Amino acid sequence: MITLLRTNFDNPHFLLLVKDLDHLLQQLDGEEHAFYATLNKTNTIKHTIVALENDEPVGCGAIREFDADSMEVKRMYVPPEKRRQGIAAMILSELEKWSAELGYSKCVLETGNRQPEAIALYLREGYKIIPNYGKYKDVSNSVCFEKVL
């Protein structure tokens, strides 16, 4: 059984999963990884979710304020051996619920073209592709999404 824990950036399970995520992204992004790493600092994230299965971490995600109406989904990760079990969708749904509870009306996010599984997840969960925003505006590898809650 999967349980979802609302926590923050200094949760040891979250930090362990993010370390694995960063290692994977370094492989996928190659030379572009340094740019993305500057946008993915975790020490300012107050709202994180850790998915646990028998007290073992099996996924994570986070939200941080993007603007007065929106939360940005960050640091979504499920280890490869735990994928295709609906864990990422559970985490994303809980992040959306938390965003709404905090008074936000939509979620935005960015992912990379080299992550087709992530793109498929976001489309399946009702996110719409939008023009690249912020520091991703002119980044050809980035795909940005939005969902009205």
Side-chain angles (χ1 to χ4, degrees):
M1 175 162 179
I2 304 293
T3 57
L4 300 177
L5 172 66
R6 289 184 181 189
T7 184
N8 60 36
F9 74 89
D10 63 359
N11 177 283
H13 293 311
F14 179 71
L15 293 173
L16 179 69
L17 289 162
V18 166
K19 183 179 177 184
D20 290 346
L21 170 61
D22 285 338
H23 179 72
L24 174 67
L25 291 176
Q26 187 173 17
Q27 294 172 356
L28 290 174
D29 295 334
E31 294 177 8
E32 295 173 330
H33 183 71
F35 165 75
Y36 286 111
T38 65
L39 303 175
N40 287 320
K41 302 290 184 202
T42 57
N43 62 348
T44 60
I45 297 177
K46 298 176 186 172
H47 305 93
T48 67
I49 300 283
V50 174
L52 300 167
E53 183 176 45
N54 301 319
D55 295 322
E56 293 296 318
V58 295
C60 66
I63 47 175
R64 69 175 176 202
E65 185 175 78
F66 178 71
D67 61 30
D69 298 319
S70 310
M71 285 296 246
E72 184 177 26
V73 176
K74 302 293 290 181
R75 313 313 295 176
M76 285 288 298
Y77 180 68
V78 173
E81 67 275 10
K82 292 294 183 179
R83 293 181 184 169
R84 302 199 174 277
Q85 298 177 33
I87 297 169
M90 290 171 54
I91 294 167
L92 188 59
S93 177
E94 187 68 12
L95 291 170
E96 294 165 358
K97 180 180 172 185
W98 202 356
S99 296
E101 289 171 12
L102 292 168
Y104 296 88
S105 60
K106 64 182 172 178
C107 285
V108 298
L109 63 90
E110 179 274 345
T111 193
N113 283 320
R114 298 179 194 104
Q115 299 174 58
E117 300 91 349
I119 292 170
L121 167 72
Y122 299 130
L123 290 172
R124 190 171 56 247
E125 297 302 316
Y127 282 76
K128 306 292 183 209
I129 295 175
I130 60 172
N132 287 3
Y133 58 79
K135 294 185 179 183
Y136 305 112
K137 186 172 179 152
D138 296 318
V139 179
S140 62
N141 179 48
S142 290
V143 182
C144 293
F145 291 87
E146 173 183 273
K147 181 178 181 179
V148 176
L149 303 176

